[in-house]
Amino acid sequence: MGRRSRHPQAEGRRVKDKRQETRLVEAGRRAEWTQGLVNPAVWRASTILFDKVADLDAANPPKDGILHYGRNGTPTTWALCEALTEMEPGAAMTRLYPSGAAACAGALLAVLAAGDELLMVDTAYGPTRALCDGVLKRFGVTTIYYDPMIGAGIHALIGEKTRAVFLESPGTHTFEVQDMPAICAAAKARGLITLIDNTWATPLFFPAIAAGIDLSILACTKYIGGHADLMLGSVTATAAVAPRLEQTRRVMGQTGAPDDAWLALRGLRTLDLRLKRHQENGLKVAHWLKAQPQVARVLHPAFPDCPGHEYWVRDYKGATGLFSIVLAGGDEGARDRLVDSLQLFGIGYSWGGYESLALPADPVRTATRPAFEGPLIRFHIGLENPDDLIEDLAAAFAGYGGSG
Ligand SMILES: Cc1ncc(COP(=O)(O)O)c(C=O)c1O
């Protein structure tokens, strides 16, 4: 009755140009998907019922916003996809996958074909490497691993068969920050597609598409969900690459479960607050660790001695709560006992939840072999009071004998 709709996406109101915090609150909240609630319901579906065959025909080909078949989404998953797209200025589309690993695979399979060469960062997440060395190799794709610090020098690795460059910044376990503008410029000059695993920074701390990346991959399992209770991945694409991504996703049967998408969407609304606290707590604990005689180095993008720190300063809006330390000598057995003796840190895979974790880290490298003074531990610093975490670490370090 003339009353203005309170639904952010009604009446053509757009949130694209709003500030980041506002976009996080408003993105994806279309009236037709939320039905008057603040959040969309969990729409679970396989079959969608149509009144007539003509209606079923009209739903083809599948499009976001038109119910077709469960695998092609429901309002719950469309809302999350639209929200993730809104967080990446310049992006055209987001697609969901059942995990972050599936998202990495789905993105790579969308852009590669037999006979292609892929340039893969040497610090890639382990299962991404395994995908290259196993499945992609079996299907005729050759992977060339490159030094994360290669920068513009990547042009020397680009040959006739090179199709794509995969970045992960900062690197898994060792946190080197890549010179992404230089790598993207070299890739663009040769018509290559660029992909990034942007899980550490999220689009809040590094909007990858605006920086020239074609496909930005997130393990939503981590910070987007934020509560260690879901498995989900996403790929956000430019308009040029979106059709290939969607076509490959569809024929490979990839989809995101509505329950997990709902949790991820709820997590997304508080991402800004959580990331800032993870950053603050992480830095406090990392600085304490750096001062300990048992610690040779802290591998953290915000520390000046981190390789690529200058690129982090230039390109990133913040640091999240994941980093590693290098112990000053000692063997793996002593390192593992140190981790075992922590009380407030969980021992387990993944990260990005509200809780702190510690994990023995053993980097796998083939293109570059950095020398470390001792074994590595990767920490995820959660939302606890950092002084409690530091007390826990102090007690563990007091009992740390190094080797033996
Ligand atoms: C950087 C990075 N990318 C991708 C993944 C894979 O995500 P998921 O566990 O959801 O498969 C992980 C998981 O630890 C990760 O650390």
Side-chain angles (χ1 to χ4, degrees):
M1 317 295 108
R3 190 171 78 82
R4 205 166 59 85
S5 170
R6 296 294 163 196
H7 291 284
Q9 299 283 351
E11 300 171 354
R13 276 165 63 200
R14 304 293 303 151
V15 298
K16 257 194 171 59
D17 304 326
K18 296 278 184 287
R19 290 169 185 80
Q20 183 164 276
E21 297 83 351
T22 310
R23 272 186 286 137
L24 266 184
V25 169
E26 302 252 308
R29 291 175 51 209
R30 288 179 186 247
E32 66 266 33
W33 297 342
T34 58
Q35 300 287 317
L37 281 66
V38 173
N39 297 308
V42 182
W43 289 61
R44 298 188 191 90
S46 55
T47 300
I48 310 294
L49 298 172
F50 297 90
D51 286 345
K52 296 198 171 68
V53 173
D55 298 334
L56 181 143
D57 289 344
N60 280 301
K63 285 187 252 350
D64 287 7
I66 297 181
L67 287 165
H68 174 271
Y69 176 51
R71 204 166 57 218
N72 295 317
T74 66
T76 318
T77 52
W78 297 330
L80 175 62
C81 287
E82 184 166 282
L84 289 171
T85 305
E86 297 270 0
M87 299 320 295
E88 284 274 12
M93 184 191 86
T94 297
R95 283 294 172 260
L96 299 181
Y97 297 80
S99 68
C104 292
L108 282 166
L109 290 167
V111 299
L112 295 168
D116 287 347
E117 274 177 10
L118 165 69
L119 299 180
M120 171 61 64
V121 64
D122 205 22
T123 44
Y125 172 60
T128 306
R129 287 186 77 104
L131 174 82
C132 296
D133 301 343
V135 175
L136 293 185
K137 186 174 174 194
R138 197 146 46 79
F139 284 86
V141 174
T142 305
T143 300
I144 296 166
Y145 290 97
Y146 67 87
D147 181 345
M149 303 320 298
I150 198 166
I154 199 149
H155 80 92
L157 298 182
I158 300 174
E160 282 307 304
K161 294 181 175 170
T162 314
R163 179 75 52 216
V165 184
F166 192 103
L167 303 92
E168 184 180 319
S169 182
T172 276
H173 293 328
T174 44
F175 297 91
E176 296 89 338
V177 183
Q178 296 191 250
D179 185 351
M180 290 181 282
I183 293 175
C184 287
K188 285 262 146 25
R190 298 290 296 273
L192 308 184
I193 291 172
T194 47
L195 308 89
I196 189 172
D197 184 332
N198 200 26
T199 303
W200 182 87
T202 86
L204 261 61
F205 283 173
F206 180 66
I209 301 285
I213 299 276
D214 298 302
L215 291 170
S216 176
I217 303 160
L218 296 176
C220 300
T221 309
K222 322 291 177 201
Y223 283 125
I224 308 299
H227 295 72
D229 53 7
L230 66 93
M231 298 295 303
L232 197 71
S234 67
V235 183
T236 299
T238 57
V241 189
R244 283 169 72 176
L245 184 76
E246 168 56 0
Q247 199 260 349
T248 307
R249 178 207 70 83
R250 200 180 301 158
V251 297
M252 293 197 65
Q254 296 287 36
T255 191
D259 292 81
D260 285 343
W262 186 89
L263 284 170
L265 187 58
R266 188 155 83 158
L268 187 69
R269 305 298 179 200
T270 58
L271 185 64
D272 182 75
L273 287 173
R274 287 186 287 109
L275 285 193
K276 284 173 182 158
R277 184 57 71 88
H278 283 295
Q279 166 168 258
E280 194 182 313
N281 288 0
L283 282 170
K284 185 159 189 186
V285 173
H287 280 291
W288 182 87
L289 283 163
K290 193 172 168 60
Q292 306 313 304
Q294 300 94 334
V295 176
R297 272 189 286 156
V298 174
L299 308 176
H300 188 306
F303 281 49
D305 59 350
C306 180
H309 168 72
E310 63 276 30
Y311 308 133
W312 176 79
V313 171
R314 183 189 65 191
D315 300 332
Y316 285 71
K317 296 180 189 163
T320 53
L322 191 75
F323 63 90
S324 291
I325 59 166
V326 182
L327 290 166
D331 58 23
E332 275 92 21
R335 183 258 322 259
D336 295 353
R337 284 193 294 281
L338 174 68
V339 171
D340 284 345
S341 67
L342 292 165
Q343 303 292 308
L344 283 179
F345 290 80
I347 302 171
Y349 293 115
S350 204
W351 45 276
Y354 55 83
E355 81 291 9
S356 289
L357 298 168
L359 191 75
D362 299 307
V364 176
R365 294 291 188 84
T366 48
T368 47
R369 297 189 192 283
F372 296 116
E373 296 83 346
L376 274 65
I377 302 174
R378 190 188 74 182
F379 288 103
H380 177 252
I381 304 302
L383 305 178
E384 302 90 343
N385 187 309
D387 293 336
D388 287 330
L389 298 174
I390 288 169
E391 279 170 26
D392 191 23
L393 286 162
F397 273 110
Y400 179 64
S403 59

mmCIF file of all heavy atoms in Angstrom, residues 306-324:
data_model
loop_
_atom_site.group_PDB
_atom_site.id
_atom_site.type_symbol
_atom_site.label_atom_id
_atom_site.label_comp_id
_atom_site.label_asym_id
_atom_site.label_seq_id
_atom_site.Cartn_x
_atom_site.Cartn_y
_atom_site.Cartn_z
ATOM 1 N N CYS A 306 58.352 -11.871 6.385
ATOM 2 C CA CYS A 306 57.601 -12.874 5.613
ATOM 3 C C CYS A 306 57.826 -12.600 4.121
ATOM 4 O O CYS A 306 57.611 -11.462 3.668
ATOM 5 C CB CYS A 306 56.114 -12.780 5.942
ATOM 6 S SG CYS A 306 55.102 -13.975 5.043
ATOM 7 N N PRO A 307 58.238 -13.590 3.335
ATOM 8 C CA PRO A 307 58.405 -13.333 1.894
ATOM 9 C C PRO A 307 57.104 -12.793 1.284
ATOM 10 O O PRO A 307 56.038 -13.386 1.460
ATOM 11 C CB PRO A 307 58.761 -14.710 1.328
ATOM 12 C CG PRO A 307 59.311 -15.476 2.489
ATOM 13 C CD PRO A 307 58.595 -14.969 3.703
ATOM 14 N N GLY A 308 57.216 -11.652 0.602
ATOM 15 C CA GLY A 308 56.036 -11.039 -0.018
ATOM 16 C C GLY A 308 55.270 -10.116 0.919
ATOM 17 O O GLY A 308 54.188 -9.633 0.568
ATOM 18 N N HIS A 309 55.844 -9.832 2.118
ATOM 19 C CA HIS A 309 55.161 -8.927 3.055
ATOM 20 C C HIS A 309 54.776 -7.611 2.381
ATOM 21 O O HIS A 309 53.690 -7.073 2.623
ATOM 22 C CB HIS A 309 56.078 -8.661 4.253
ATOM 23 C CG HIS A 309 55.620 -7.532 5.125
ATOM 24 N ND1 HIS A 309 54.518 -7.634 5.965
ATOM 25 C CD2 HIS A 309 56.092 -6.269 5.258
ATOM 26 C CE1 HIS A 309 54.350 -6.479 6.581
ATOM 27 N NE2 HIS A 309 55.277 -5.632 6.185
ATOM 28 N N GLU A 310 55.652 -7.103 1.487
ATOM 29 C CA GLU A 310 55.368 -5.829 0.822
ATOM 30 C C GLU A 310 54.120 -5.926 -0.063
ATOM 31 O O GLU A 310 53.384 -4.954 -0.230
ATOM 32 C CB GLU A 310 56.584 -5.322 0.016
ATOM 33 C CG GLU A 310 57.029 -6.196 -1.145
ATOM 34 C CD GLU A 310 57.970 -7.356 -0.746
ATOM 35 O OE1 GLU A 310 57.861 -7.867 0.384
ATOM 36 O OE2 GLU A 310 58.777 -7.770 -1.592
ATOM 37 N N TYR A 311 53.858 -7.126 -0.613
ATOM 38 C CA TYR A 311 52.649 -7.302 -1.438
ATOM 39 C C TYR A 311 51.418 -7.383 -0.542
ATOM 40 O O TYR A 311 50.332 -6.936 -0.918
ATOM 41 C CB TYR A 311 52.749 -8.557 -2.313
ATOM 42 C CG TYR A 311 54.016 -8.615 -3.111
ATOM 43 C CD1 TYR A 311 54.789 -9.771 -3.160
ATOM 44 C CD2 TYR A 311 54.465 -7.494 -3.815
ATOM 45 C CE1 TYR A 311 55.969 -9.812 -3.883
ATOM 46 C CE2 TYR A 311 55.639 -7.527 -4.534
ATOM 47 C CZ TYR A 311 56.387 -8.686 -4.558
ATOM 48 O OH TYR A 311 57.560 -8.727 -5.270
ATOM 49 N N TRP A 312 51.606 -7.971 0.645
ATOM 50 C CA TRP A 312 50.487 -8.001 1.595
ATOM 51 C C TRP A 312 50.121 -6.568 1.988
ATOM 52 O O TRP A 312 48.939 -6.204 1.995
ATOM 53 C CB TRP A 312 50.855 -8.842 2.833
ATOM 54 C CG TRP A 312 49.766 -8.815 3.858
ATOM 55 C CD1 TRP A 312 48.603 -9.540 3.840
ATOM 56 C CD2 TRP A 312 49.711 -7.986 5.022
ATOM 57 N NE1 TRP A 312 47.827 -9.207 4.926
ATOM 58 C CE2 TRP A 312 48.486 -8.254 5.664
ATOM 59 C CE3 TRP A 312 50.574 -7.034 5.576
ATOM 60 C CZ2 TRP A 312 48.102 -7.615 6.845
ATOM 61 C CZ3 TRP A 312 50.191 -6.408 6.751
ATOM 62 C CH2 TRP A 312 48.968 -6.700 7.370
ATOM 63 N N VAL A 313 51.115 -5.754 2.268
ATOM 64 C CA VAL A 313 50.857 -4.356 2.637
ATOM 65 C C VAL A 313 50.146 -3.633 1.485
ATOM 66 O O VAL A 313 49.182 -2.893 1.694
ATOM 67 C CB VAL A 313 52.182 -3.630 2.983
ATOM 68 C CG1 VAL A 313 51.968 -2.129 3.150
ATOM 69 C CG2 VAL A 313 52.813 -4.229 4.234
ATOM 70 N N ARG A 314 50.579 -3.888 0.268
ATOM 71 C CA ARG A 314 50.038 -3.192 -0.900
ATOM 72 C C ARG A 314 48.637 -3.675 -1.278
ATOM 73 O O ARG A 314 47.772 -2.870 -1.633
ATOM 74 C CB ARG A 314 51.000 -3.422 -2.086
ATOM 75 C CG ARG A 314 50.618 -2.696 -3.371
ATOM 76 C CD ARG A 314 51.482 -3.155 -4.527
ATOM 77 N NE ARG A 314 51.253 -4.559 -4.832
ATOM 78 C CZ ARG A 314 52.019 -5.284 -5.644
ATOM 79 N NH1 ARG A 314 53.070 -4.752 -6.238
ATOM 80 N NH2 ARG A 314 51.750 -6.553 -5.863
ATOM 81 N N ASP A 315 48.394 -4.982 -1.205
ATOM 82 C CA ASP A 315 47.190 -5.550 -1.832
ATOM 83 C C ASP A 315 46.105 -6.027 -0.873
ATOM 84 O O ASP A 315 44.967 -6.230 -1.288
ATOM 85 C CB ASP A 315 47.579 -6.757 -2.715
ATOM 86 C CG ASP A 315 48.542 -6.363 -3.831
ATOM 87 O OD1 ASP A 315 48.497 -5.191 -4.261
ATOM 88 O OD2 ASP A 315 49.335 -7.218 -4.266
ATOM 89 N N TYR A 316 46.427 -6.254 0.378
ATOM 90 C CA TYR A 316 45.461 -6.863 1.304
ATOM 91 C C TYR A 316 44.914 -5.831 2.282
ATOM 92 O O TYR A 316 45.601 -4.876 2.643
ATOM 93 C CB TYR A 316 46.117 -8.003 2.100
ATOM 94 C CG TYR A 316 46.321 -9.270 1.310
ATOM 95 C CD1 TYR A 316 47.272 -9.349 0.301
ATOM 96 C CD2 TYR A 316 45.564 -10.404 1.559
ATOM 97 C CE1 TYR A 316 47.457 -10.514 -0.426
ATOM 98 C CE2 TYR A 316 45.739 -11.575 0.838
ATOM 99 C CZ TYR A 316 46.686 -11.618 -0.146
ATOM 100 O OH TYR A 316 46.873 -12.769 -0.866
ATOM 101 N N LYS A 317 43.674 -6.087 2.717
ATOM 102 C CA LYS A 317 43.058 -5.202 3.709
ATOM 103 C C LYS A 317 43.219 -5.732 5.127
ATOM 104 O O LYS A 317 42.722 -5.123 6.067
ATOM 105 C CB LYS A 317 41.569 -5.039 3.395
ATOM 106 C CG LYS A 317 41.299 -4.353 2.062
ATOM 107 C CD LYS A 317 39.804 -4.228 1.850
ATOM 108 C CE LYS A 317 39.503 -3.752 0.446
ATOM 109 N NZ LYS A 317 38.101 -4.005 0.079
ATOM 110 N N GLY A 318 43.848 -6.883 5.292
ATOM 111 C CA GLY A 318 44.028 -7.421 6.633
ATOM 112 C C GLY A 318 44.673 -8.790 6.599
ATOM 113 O O GLY A 318 44.952 -9.343 5.535
ATOM 114 N N ALA A 319 44.910 -9.312 7.805
ATOM 115 C CA ALA A 319 45.469 -10.659 7.959
ATOM 116 C C ALA A 319 44.486 -11.454 8.810
ATOM 117 O O ALA A 319 43.928 -10.914 9.771
ATOM 118 C CB ALA A 319 46.826 -10.597 8.644
ATOM 119 N N THR A 320 44.292 -12.702 8.490
ATOM 120 C CA THR A 320 43.362 -13.495 9.290
ATOM 121 C C THR A 320 44.133 -14.234 10.388
ATOM 122 O O THR A 320 45.235 -13.812 10.741
ATOM 123 C CB THR A 320 42.527 -14.413 8.382
ATOM 124 O OG1 THR A 320 43.397 -15.174 7.548
ATOM 125 C CG2 THR A 320 41.612 -13.590 7.500
ATOM 126 N N GLY A 321 43.575 -15.285 10.940
ATOM 127 C CA GLY A 321 44.156 -15.874 12.152
ATOM 128 C C GLY A 321 45.022 -17.093 11.922
ATOM 129 O O GLY A 321 45.345 -17.800 12.878
ATOM 130 N N LEU A 322 45.409 -17.361 10.674
ATOM 131 C CA LEU A 322 46.162 -18.576 10.361
ATOM 132 C C LEU A 322 47.601 -18.221 10.017
ATOM 133 O O LEU A 322 47.841 -17.408 9.116
ATOM 134 C CB LEU A 322 45.511 -19.279 9.162
ATOM 135 C CG LEU A 322 46.001 -20.694 8.863
ATOM 136 C CD1 LEU A 322 45.423 -21.687 9.867
ATOM 137 C CD2 LEU A 322 45.635 -21.118 7.446
ATOM 138 N N PHE A 323 48.554 -18.834 10.704
ATOM 139 C CA PHE A 323 49.981 -18.605 10.426
ATOM 140 C C PHE A 323 50.766 -19.779 10.995
ATOM 141 O O PHE A 323 50.188 -20.639 11.691
ATOM 142 C CB PHE A 323 50.453 -17.273 11.040
ATOM 143 C CG PHE A 323 50.360 -17.249 12.543
ATOM 144 C CD1 PHE A 323 51.418 -17.667 13.345
ATOM 145 C CD2 PHE A 323 49.193 -16.833 13.168
ATOM 146 C CE1 PHE A 323 51.316 -17.675 14.725
ATOM 147 C CE2 PHE A 323 49.084 -16.827 14.553
ATOM 148 C CZ PHE A 323 50.145 -17.251 15.330
ATOM 149 N N SER A 324 52.056 -19.814 10.702
ATOM 150 C CA SER A 324 52.904 -20.908 11.214
ATOM 151 C C SER A 324 54.081 -20.339 11.993
ATOM 152 O O SER A 324 54.415 -19.151 11.860
ATOM 153 C CB SER A 324 53.459 -21.756 10.062
ATOM 154 O OG SER A 324 52.443 -22.490 9.432
#
